[in-house]
Amino acid sequence: MSKKLTKYLAIIMAVFTVMLCMVGCGSSETAPEDRVYIEESDFDAALHDGDAFKGKWIKITGQVFSVEKDGDTIAIQAWYDIENYDQSFLVYADKESVGAVKEDDFISVDGEIAGTFTGENMLGGEVTLLEINAETVVVGGYDDVYAPAESTKEIGETKDQYGLSVTLDRVEFAKNEARVYITVKNDTGDSASVYTYSAKAIQDGKQFEHEYNYYTEDLDIDEVLDGATKEGVIRFKGLDPDKPFKLTIEAYSDNWDLEIEDFVFEVE
């Protein structure tokens, strides 16, 4: 079963007609200094039993799969476990404060736990969700909302061969991956190819392969025409941000007289 089909079936199982409860969306009488936020280690328990954490606060991220609007209130259903389309939660917010939000967007929610919502899915089964009255909902993409950089190494190192240059701009380390940003410029007089999809990293003697991220719209750098510049992102899972690594990127020129070697960068 394809991942896309798995996602579709999961949504069908979970989406139901949301009867928007008259809750204090986006508002709370709890002063900021009196708020008690639950730890991430408690998220699993809260997602299964919101009533046990009612009145406490949570900062949680997820991917949207349903949006319902009723007047000034918006109800958003999202997956917390985005890889398995599991552990969904329900967010109430003021429509004006959220702005445009749609299916597949990523959200970061800061709000008060209202308890457990119980409803019926499209197949007639009972569904229970963690219910949150949001104070703020930030909408965006995977990199900036769901997995923002926890640390960044600014590099700005350029290597050039015969007018084909590769610049290692920076490396971002998020909780699930390392993101390597590069810029390629071709002034060789001929078309060239820089293969980001086959890029490799070596750290502590272990080789890491470039991994695609299903939730982003990265485009591999392949052919670069003469006079053109392209930017790209190379993603690796498992790199330690506190240790150096070596990055290797393959490149070729349509002019076979130019013997272009791999571009190699040492990242400290």
Side-chain angles (χ1 to χ4, degrees), residues 47 60 95 102 113 117 122 134 141 158 181 238 261-262 268:
L47 286 159
I60 189 170
K95 186 169 61 176
K102 60 186 184 301
I113 296 174
F117 177 89
M122 294 181 67
T158 300
Y181 292 80
E261 300 178 350
D262 293 347
E268 298 299 327

Side-chain angles (χ1 to χ4, degrees), residues 61-123:
T61 56
Q63 187 175 25
V64 175
F65 67 86
S66 176
V67 178
E68 298 283 346
K69 298 178 181 179
D70 184 10
D72 293 332
T73 302
I74 185 169
I76 304 168
Q77 294 179 75
W79 305 117
Y80 173 66
D81 180 356
I82 66 173
E83 292 187 0
N84 297 302
Y85 308 107
D86 194 16
Q87 296 184 300
S88 54
F89 58 93
L90 176 61
V91 179
Y92 297 106
D94 181 84
K95 186 169 61 176
E96 294 301 322
S97 66
V98 176
V101 59
K102 60 186 184 301
E103 182 182 319
D104 292 332
D105 281 344
F106 290 91
I107 57 173
S108 176
V109 178
D110 186 342
E112 184 177 13
I113 296 174
T116 299
F117 177 89
T118 302
E120 188 175 278
N121 65 25
M122 294 181 67
L123 299 182

Side-chain angles (χ1 to χ4, degrees), residues 27-67:
S27 63
S28 174
E29 297 179 357
T30 307
E33 62 272 16
D34 295 328
R35 297 173 184 175
V36 177
Y37 283 88
I38 68 172
E39 300 291 333
E40 190 171 355
S41 57
D42 291 323
F43 282 12
D44 184 70
L47 286 159
H48 286 89
D49 184 7
D51 289 337
F53 296 85
K54 187 174 182 178
K56 293 187 177 180
W57 285 67
I58 187 171
K59 292 181 180 179
I60 189 170
T61 56
Q63 187 175 25
V64 175
F65 67 86
S66 176
V67 178

Side-chain angles (χ1 to χ4, degrees), residues 157-168 182-186 188 192-195 198-201 234 246-253 259-266:
E157 180 180 1
T158 300
K159 293 183 180 293
D160 183 282
Q161 299 183 62
Y162 307 105
L164 179 64
S165 67
V166 177
T167 300
L168 174 54
I182 68 169
T183 301
V184 176
K185 185 176 182 180
N186 181 15
T188 62
S193 296
V194 176
Y195 299 123
S198 63
K200 297 174 177 56
I234 307 169
K246 181 169 71 174
L247 173 69
T248 301
I249 304 171
E250 290 184 90
Y252 299 90
S253 171
E259 296 183 5
I260 296 179
E261 300 178 350
D262 293 347
F263 288 86
V264 179
F265 295 88
E266 299 286 346

Side-chain angles (χ1 to χ4, degrees), residues 9 21 39 56 80 97 132 139 146 148 176 182 224 235 248:
L9 292 176
C21 302
E39 300 291 333
K56 293 187 177 180
Y80 173 66
S97 66
I132 304 170
V139 182
Y146 187 81
N176 296 321
I182 68 169
V224 184
R235 297 172 187 262
T248 301

Side-chain angles (χ1 to χ4, degrees), residues 166-235:
V166 177
T167 300
L168 174 54
D169 299 308
R170 68 185 186 280
V171 182
E172 294 180 350
F173 293 94
K175 62 180 179 181
N176 296 321
E177 64 182 6
R179 301 189 283 260
V180 179
Y181 292 80
I182 68 169
T183 301
V184 176
K185 185 176 182 180
N186 181 15
D187 287 323
T188 62
D190 296 277
S191 294
S193 296
V194 176
Y195 299 123
T196 51
Y197 58 81
S198 63
K200 297 174 177 56
I202 298 177
Q203 186 178 69
D204 284 344
K206 182 179 179 181
Q207 180 169 306
F208 297 83
E209 306 289 336
H210 170 37
E211 298 196 28
Y212 290 99
N213 188 319
Y214 176 81
Y215 307 103
T216 64
E217 297 180 354
D218 296 338
L219 295 176
D220 282 317
I221 296 178
D222 191 346
E223 184 180 28
V224 184
L225 299 178
D226 179 50
T229 299
K230 280 188 175 182
E231 297 179 347
V233 182
I234 307 169
R235 297 172 187 262

